[in-house]
Amino acid sequence: MRVTIGIAEMRISTDPADLLVTHALGSCVGIAIHDPVAGMGGMLHYMLPLSSLDPVKAERTPFMFGDTGIPTFFQAAYKAGARKENLRVCMAGGVSVIQDMQRFDIGDRNVVIARKLFWKNAIMIAAEHVGGAMPRTLYLDMATGSTWFTSGRDRFDL
């Protein structure tokens, strides 16, 4: 079953029939994880790097922000049986939406916060396709653990 993850949302699945997908990753970042031993996976779509921008909104919608969404997402995965050493982690998005406004480069900042959190928690990124100017749609096939993204009509495996 196709399961769509919207902006500022995440999903955890243990159903091998699920295909997780998140659309329109511009400056937003999508993170897909899969633990083949536990038979679980999940996807997160966050839009801003730091919750300090709006702590009240971060309290209500932690998946809107990388610094609150990523830890909460991984905690839910561990609660569902995932183990850090078995996880395959893939990341896509972080586009520079407005090339001439580098001081606001939300896409780069979104990628940096993910990398910092992963490094701090000894989580390896297996594959990523971030930056540039190409919007992406990210997929995770729960039956196989395959992760890929599309941009336009092209498909790229991660």
Side-chain angles (χ1 to χ4, degrees):
M1 177 171 80
R2 188 179 183 112
V3 179
T4 301
I5 293 84
I7 296 171
E9 292 182 351
M10 77 91 180
R11 293 286 186 279
I12 298 293
S13 175
T14 57
D15 186 344
D18 282 349
L19 174 66
L20 305 183
V21 60
T22 191
H23 300 277
L25 291 169
S27 61
C28 295
V29 167
I31 298 172
I33 61 173
H34 186 257
D35 180 335
V37 177
M40 67 75 52
M43 190 173 285
L44 166 68
H45 182 146
Y46 68 92
M47 62 186 291
L48 295 167
L50 299 173
S51 59
S52 59
L53 179 68
D54 190 338
V56 173
K57 189 169 274 189
E59 182 82 23
R60 285 192 323 259
T61 316
F63 303 112
M64 180 177 285
F65 303 95
D67 67 339
T68 54
I70 293 169
T72 306
F73 175 52
F74 275 80
Q75 288 166 4
Y78 298 143
K79 188 174 181 179
R83 296 185 53 131
K84 186 188 318 186
E85 60 270 16
N86 298 332
L87 282 178
R88 182 171 191 274
V89 179
C90 297
M91 180 167 64
V95 169
S96 295
V97 177
I98 303 173
Q99 296 288 338
D100 60 341
M101 296 186 68
Q102 291 180 352
R103 66 186 178 150
F104 296 115
D105 200 352
I106 301 298
D108 278 349
R109 291 172 49 215
N110 275 336
V111 171
V112 166
I113 193 65
R115 288 180 178 157
K116 282 182 180 180
L117 288 169
F118 292 155
W119 180 81
K120 181 179 176 184
N121 291 284
I123 295 170
M124 300 300 295
I125 301 170
E128 67 176 35
H129 199 278
V130 296
M134 172 179 23
R136 302 161 179 99
T137 296
L138 182 63
Y139 298 85
L140 170 61
D141 181 342
M142 287 299 301
T144 64
S146 296
T147 308
W148 69 93
F149 71 92
T150 58
S151 186
R153 295 178 185 217
D154 297 322
R155 174 183 164 151
F156 305 89
D157 291 325
L158 290 173

